[in-house]
Amino acid sequence: MTDLAERLTALDARIADAARAVGRDPGALTRIVVTKFHPAQVVADLAALGVRDVGENRQQELTAKRAALQQVEGPAADVRWHFIGQLQSKKARAVRAASDCVHSVDRDRVADALHAADPDGSVLDVFLQVNLTDDPGRGGISPGEVETLAEHVAARCPSLRVCGVMAVAPLTQAPAAAFECLAAAADAVRRVVPDAAWMSAGMSGDFAEAIAAGATHLRIGTAITGPRPADG
């Protein structure tokens, strides 16, 4: 717990420094702690340290951890859960049931499945995932098609709220250039949904570049949680 608190404090200080360096308010950023492969107790420990946003890549882990922590008293029961992994239509119902926010809507079919899972329920915040590579097999829609996807979600999926865009910087490109492209995609989405002001970008190794490009939501894993368990 002491190590976790120290890593969290150190990372938050680095985030604040990066924000101030480009004239941004650190308080306007949302730091999401990615707890992939770590047990639910780590989420409980993070919540006790003041963390309110956690992210999961896999639906099974998301569902299990949220269910486990909703059975306990204390801050862990009020954590906001972000699904940040690749989303298959067949798992849309389970993801929607366990998520407060989904970062990986990249196809009409995925958006339709999320909407159909609970069309009359509470509105679900979603990001449109953008593929910043030339590999069509990677998750995300191409930057040139993101505006069309935003139009579809806004018109056909009233139970989803398009909040912005998400991407992972490719290893083959400088993060600053990649996030500049994502910022342009965000502008395109705002032509359809003017208040879609969020940008989910930046991980442990490139959050400073993401902040400089306008990221509002940072997805930080090992820099806070430490090495993943050996069986992860």
Side-chain angles (χ1 to χ4, degrees):
M1 186 75 167
T2 300
D3 289 345
L4 188 64
E6 289 176 351
R7 288 192 296 266
L8 181 65
T9 299
L11 193 283
D12 282 349
R14 291 171 59 199
I15 289 173
D17 287 345
R20 285 192 287 265
V22 293
R24 297 189 61 194
D25 176 9
L29 303 176
T30 298
R31 178 252 296 123
I32 301 165
V33 183
V34 181
T35 56
K36 179 180 179 181
F37 296 134
H38 289 279
Q41 182 59 48
V42 169
V43 179
D45 292 342
L46 287 164
L49 293 169
V51 169
R52 290 295 172 265
D53 293 87
V54 298
E56 288 293 335
N57 291 71
R58 303 191 302 179
Q59 176 267 313
Q60 294 91 331
E61 273 197 88
L62 170 70
T63 299
K65 288 178 185 177
R66 181 161 196 170
L69 293 173
Q70 285 181 329
Q71 304 304 313
V72 303
E73 296 183 357
D78 297 323
V79 161
R80 179 171 167 84
W81 295 87
H82 299 254
F83 182 76
I84 62 176
Q86 203 59 38
L87 178 56
Q88 298 173 306
S89 299
K90 65 182 180 181
K91 294 189 175 183
R93 183 173 297 277
V95 166
R96 175 148 196 178
S99 301
D100 297 298
C101 184
V102 174
H103 291 234
S104 48
V105 173
D106 63 354
R107 303 182 302 282
D108 291 358
R109 186 171 60 183
V110 166
D112 292 343
L114 280 173
H115 170 61
D118 193 7
D120 301 315
S122 299
V123 173
L124 176 68
D125 290 340
V126 301
F127 291 84
L128 306 184
Q129 184 177 358
V130 180
N131 182 357
L132 299 178
T133 77
D134 294 326
D135 180 2
R138 293 286 298 271
I141 194 166
S142 70
E145 297 175 320
V146 70
E147 190 170 349
T148 300
L149 178 59
E151 290 171 349
H152 176 89
V153 179
R156 303 288 296 275
C157 304
S159 72
L160 307 183
R161 179 188 294 115
V162 177
C163 293
V165 295
M166 181 275 258
V168 176
L171 297 176
T172 57
Q173 186 179 10
F179 294 140
E180 183 178 345
C181 179
L182 182 62
D187 289 340
V189 170
R190 283 193 291 273
R191 287 196 285 270
V192 180
V193 185
D195 59 350
W198 294 355
M199 188 165 84
S200 172
M203 300 189 292
S204 294
D206 58 18
F207 64 81
E209 291 90 344
I211 291 170
T216 59
H217 290 64
L218 313 174
R219 309 182 306 273
I220 312 294
T222 54
I224 295 173
T225 59
R228 292 170 181 166
D231 59 348

